[in-house]
Amino acid sequence: LLSIILFTPLAGAVLLLFVSGKHENRIRWIANIVTVAGFLVSLPLWFWYDPQNPEFQFVERHAWIPSIGAQYFLGVDGFSVLLILLTTLMGSIAVLSSWTAITERVKEYYIFLLVLQTGMIGAFVSLDFLLFFLFWEVMLVPMYFLIGIWGSDRRLYSAIKFFLYTLVGSVVMLLGILALYFYQYSVTNVYTFDVTEFQRLSLPFGLQRWVFLAFFLGFAIKVPMFPFHTWLPDAHTDAPTAGSVILAAVLLKMGTYGFIRFSLPILPEATRFFVPMMAFLSIVGIVYGALVAMAQSDWKRLVAYSSVSHMAMVMLGMFALNPVGITGSIVQQLNHGISTGALF
């Protein structure tokens, strides 16, 4: 089921490659049908998921690059299920909203949107760190082109800023992943990128702190937490509407997802150690984002700064490190996704 959900948008993108760019309405119809189909095939997750079972569900595991221990390993828990449904729902709305808005290079536009959709779903279902990182990077490229080609006035500036910020975060995050990978080998003599194996490791505190900081940079830029938020207002303002919807509704959740899925379970002592820092940055973000939002005259910038404030609230709930805080954080992520998407 997860592979079908994951590759439905990609199949649509490949199909569009073979349609002539002159048939714009045909391209629009195909893109819309594919994203609605993507939403429909993701619906069974909601009904078949067993909330009483704490294990990962719908697991698929195949050898991928055996020489380095990377696997095609997919699985979901309750959090991922909700985010996948949010992604497929918002993706179909974003594609539909582009019907009259996009009039030039229609074919390329829809191909990028569908590839972006695949990257986002892939990040939410991957339980292999290398696979997760691959999808994490795949999201970068279509978003860069969506802002840079179909954006408004300062689109190139905004696209390059978005690209560079996220790329720097990703490179540092990769170093953190590799640190875990080699430590795992030193303990078990097995090379693996399996996230569930990393969660069983008891890492020394010094290493945990460094890996936490590496992950923090990668995820905090995506959230975006204060003071890494400055790419967001530009990207929001200059992206085409569908790009803004996807950015606000789903891409910002990648960062919070990363913290909940990787930082908290794999690095528990470091997480506790950094709670004061995370709480401070979150509180500054809540107040600062709200105050700056009040001063905006541009509607898109207003929503962008309010997102900084909202996502800081999500981070604060998460780093309360209790069940109520984390549940509230997840609920608020879904709320934010639907409401800001709707505002755009």
Side-chain angles (χ1 to χ4, degrees):
L1 179 64
L2 294 183
S3 287
I4 294 170
I5 295 169
L6 174 56
F7 292 115
T8 301
L10 193 63
V14 171
L15 177 62
L16 285 181
L17 287 173
F18 298 104
V19 180
S20 163
K22 296 188 186 89
H23 303 302
E24 292 185 356
N25 268 348
R26 187 178 301 173
I27 290 167
R28 291 188 179 109
W29 273 107
I30 291 172
N32 277 283
I33 289 165
V34 166
T35 47
V36 169
F39 176 57
L40 293 177
V41 295
S42 68
L43 279 178
L45 281 179
W46 177 261
F47 297 104
W48 296 351
Y49 181 81
D50 173 16
Q52 305 306 321
N53 176 3
E55 300 296 315
F56 284 103
Q57 298 180 32
F58 306 105
V59 171
E60 299 173 31
R61 194 195 278 262
H62 306 285
W64 177 35
I65 314 174
S67 54
I68 59 169
Q71 299 170 308
Y72 176 76
F73 181 21
L74 310 180
V76 290
D77 59 4
F79 182 30
S80 336
V81 166
L82 292 170
L83 286 176
I84 291 165
L85 288 165
L86 179 70
T87 308
T88 53
L89 174 66
M90 284 317 206
S92 56
I93 292 172
V95 167
L96 183 61
S97 73
S98 310
W99 194 286
T100 51
I102 302 300
T103 51
E104 56 194 49
R105 299 188 180 171
V106 174
K107 173 175 162 179
E108 292 86 344
Y109 175 83
Y110 283 112
I111 288 173
F112 281 133
L113 264 186
L114 290 169
V115 171
L116 179 63
Q117 185 87 339
T118 300
M120 294 185 302
I121 295 170
F124 290 139
V125 296
S126 301
L127 291 180
D128 178 277
F129 240 140
L130 195 65
L131 193 64
F132 169 79
F133 187 75
L134 175 78
F135 284 120
W136 180 270
E137 293 301 301
V138 161
M139 294 181 300
L140 246 184
V141 181
M143 198 67 215
Y144 170 78
F145 284 114
L146 284 170
I147 299 172
I149 298 174
W150 292 275
S152 52
D153 311 339
R154 302 171 66 211
R155 55 180 181 262
L156 269 177
Y157 168 78
S158 299
I160 290 168
K161 192 171 179 182
F162 162 75
F163 191 82
L164 290 178
Y165 262 75
T166 317
L167 192 67
V168 169
S170 303
V171 170
V172 177
M173 182 174 81
L174 181 61
L175 295 175
I177 294 172
L178 291 173
L180 287 178
Y181 174 71
F182 288 116
Y183 181 79
Q184 164 85 17
Y185 177 73
S186 72
V187 173
T188 62
N189 247 17
V190 178
Y191 281 125
T192 181
F193 282 101
D194 183 337
V195 172
T196 54
E197 292 292 327
F198 289 155
Q199 288 177 357
R200 294 195 192 99
L201 276 180
S202 55
L203 296 156
F205 181 60
L207 179 64
Q208 280 199 33
R209 278 196 307 191
W210 284 110
V211 174
F212 184 92
L213 287 172
F215 284 179
F216 167 76
L217 192 65
F219 298 143
I221 287 173
K222 263 284 201 284
V223 169
M225 287 185 73
F226 177 88
F228 306 105
H229 65 284
T230 57
W231 63 269
L232 183 73
D234 291 318
H236 263 339
T237 309
D238 293 321
T241 302
S244 295
V245 170
I246 296 282
L247 201 59
V250 187
L251 276 181
L252 304 189
K253 312 302 173 287
M254 291 290 162
T256 47
Y257 174 81
F259 278 114
I260 290 183
R261 170 68 72 249
F262 306 118
S263 300
L264 271 63
I266 297 174
L267 312 162
E269 279 90 21
T271 300
R272 281 195 204 95
F273 177 79
F274 284 112
V275 162
M277 175 186 90
M278 300 301 286
F280 173 74
L281 289 178
S282 299
I283 291 165
V284 171
I286 291 169
V287 178
Y288 166 83
L291 289 175
V292 178
M294 285 166 69
Q296 298 306 314
S297 55
D298 182 304
W299 184 230
K300 278 186 160 185
R301 286 186 91 82
L302 186 150
V303 180
Y305 278 111
S306 75
S307 294
V308 173
S309 185
H310 286 177
M311 296 309 284
M313 183 75 86
V314 165
M315 292 304 298
L316 189 60
M318 186 193 307
F319 277 83
L321 298 187
N322 56 39
V324 179
I326 291 175
T327 308
S329 165
I330 291 171
V331 171
Q332 193 57 28
Q333 287 175 50
L334 298 170
N335 296 346
H336 177 266
I338 294 165
S339 62
T340 47
L343 281 170
F344 280 119

